[in-house]
Amino acid sequence: MRPEQFPEEIRAYLLPEPKGEMVYRCLDCGHEPDIARLLYTCPRCGGVLLLHNKKRDFINAISGEKWRDIFDYRRMLNHSALNGIFRYYEFIAPIIPLDRIIYLGEGHTPIVEANHSLKEEVGLDFYFKNDGLNPSASFKDRGMACALSYINYLAKKEKMTSLLSICASTGDTSASAALYASYLEEFLKSAVILPHGKVTPQQLAQPLGSGATVLEIPGVFDDCMKIVEALAEHYNVALLNSKNSWRILGQESFSYEIAQDFDYEVKDKAVVVPIGNAGNITAVMSGFLKFFEGGVIDHLPKIIGVQSEHADPVYRYYLEDNPEKRRFEPVSVRPSVAQAAMIGNPVSMPRVIRLVEAYNRAAGEKRIFVVQVSEQEIMDAMIIANRNGNIACTQGGESLAGLKKAVRVGYIGPGEIGVLDSTAHILKFAMFQDMYFNDSFSPEFNIRPRPELRNAPILVKPKGVKKFPRPGMPLKGKDMKRFVEAMASEIAKILGLEPIRKDSGEKVTGSPKK
Ligand SMILES: *Cc1c(COP(=O)(O)O)cnc(C)c1O
Ligand SMILES: [Zn+2]
């Protein structure tokens, strides 16, 4: 719809203007540095930052009901800048002019209801939100769309002619960063740092295809992170890890979409997210909190964070019930199929600690829980999900395994509805599916495929057939006839097909009645 076709009372709100006033805010010392420069840590104390909009009068002046109307009407608006995560412009980064916003098709991913068998299996109604259907096939695009829109705005304002973006990655951050940077190739070059041998072939192909410089480092993600931090400290580069708080803002759209897709009814929802570097769960909590404070939603949903027992520092932290006694200890990770979450020292941990507190306080009760699952549970859950119409990656499997665990331990009860973050597309992680099907996991994963869940292609090559067609050398005449007949009968045998009895009157469908 064109703007002039919308009801009068909505028209003034359709196309937002940059009315906000944003600052970084240090979670440790409260310092509020200006956003004119890209910052990743507090210049005073080195603490972790989040972005904060100081000018909220224009948000508070509008009722929750009106906001819901605005977002629902914007759904019908065709405007590139507002087609993605910036449908929720005022709640994300209301300082970026619309003509600086980059939209590559991110956000508004489908929410797919689990089928009957899956609901039976879990004992609960639930949905997958398929964030693997973002342009680079993971949720990371939400944050990159915001971070790169901001960099685009800054670069044009400062008349920058060249800038290098850099990130460390377990695979998906680099795929996304390289994709968005390539859109701005006029002034932006991109380099990514990956743990050698610890990303899948598909994830490695992505930044290569986008033209980024790909640097592989011996070690795990946590080591790569240390290196980019050193680079960002000493050189003039734009860091695109989730230390970059512009990414957190973009990822909050995940929560806004869940609210909108359930008509702003989130009281009975339990949102399940895998935790790696903890940027995602930070954004999910922050997003729901902002909508709650703005009156857009009346309740805060439960949030269940999930970690593999091979990379579980956040789970361990919250094992201690008494907040006074909690102490964060990084863990040394072991190989995990949830490789994108295989992180022992999450950069966003200080954000998580703050936001969990704020969230539970705002809700008036404990609404955030963290569960731990085994590698076996993750793989079984992913395979089962995908045998029931889904496209879950290993981390999506982790979400499903986490939902089952949360139900088992009573964090989620009858009548509640799960919303599971399937954070990437299965095709990125097909390698782990292969290992499951071929029973070829190395011992440290401790995964044994369930026989009934394994699958493998069957090569059809009946004994009697001597001649087979080959590219450029088709079979002809009798040879072709023999080939087709022998193949069809072999396949019918494998599939246990019943022949149609031609004389019985059970007519082949489509044959004309005489
Ligand atoms: C990055 C990523 C995660 C973990 O998210 P964090 O923000 O690091 O906690 C989970 N799944 C996938 C597919 C990812 O790419
Ligand atoms: Zn500080």
Side-chain angles (χ1 to χ4, degrees), residues 26-31 42-47 49:
C26 173
L27 295 186
D28 284 344
C29 75
H31 179 41
C42 174
R44 281 206 191 142
C45 78
L49 303 170

Side-chain angles (χ1 to χ4, degrees), residues 17-22 53 55 58-59 86 89-96:
E17 277 163 23
K19 288 190 202 156
E21 187 194 321
M22 300 195 83
N53 178 15
K55 214 162 135 232
F58 71 101
I59 293 183
F86 285 101
Y89 179 90
E90 294 86 344
F91 286 78
I92 293 184
I95 50 106
I96 307 177

Side-chain angles (χ1 to χ4, degrees), residues 275 281 285 307 312-323 326-328 349-357 360 366 368-371 411:
I275 306 177
I281 193 163
M285 291 187 283
Q307 295 211 291
D312 59 357
V314 184
Y315 169 75
R316 283 165 189 260
Y317 178 82
Y318 284 106
L319 268 183
E320 171 57 61
D321 251 345
N322 182 352
R326 281 180 196 145
R327 273 206 39 231
F328 180 75
M349 195 61 204
R351 292 168 170 160
V352 170
I353 294 171
R354 279 311 158 83
L355 278 157
V356 167
E357 249 174 59
N360 289 335
K366 187 170 173 189
I368 313 242
F369 303 86
V370 183
V371 297
Y411 292 159

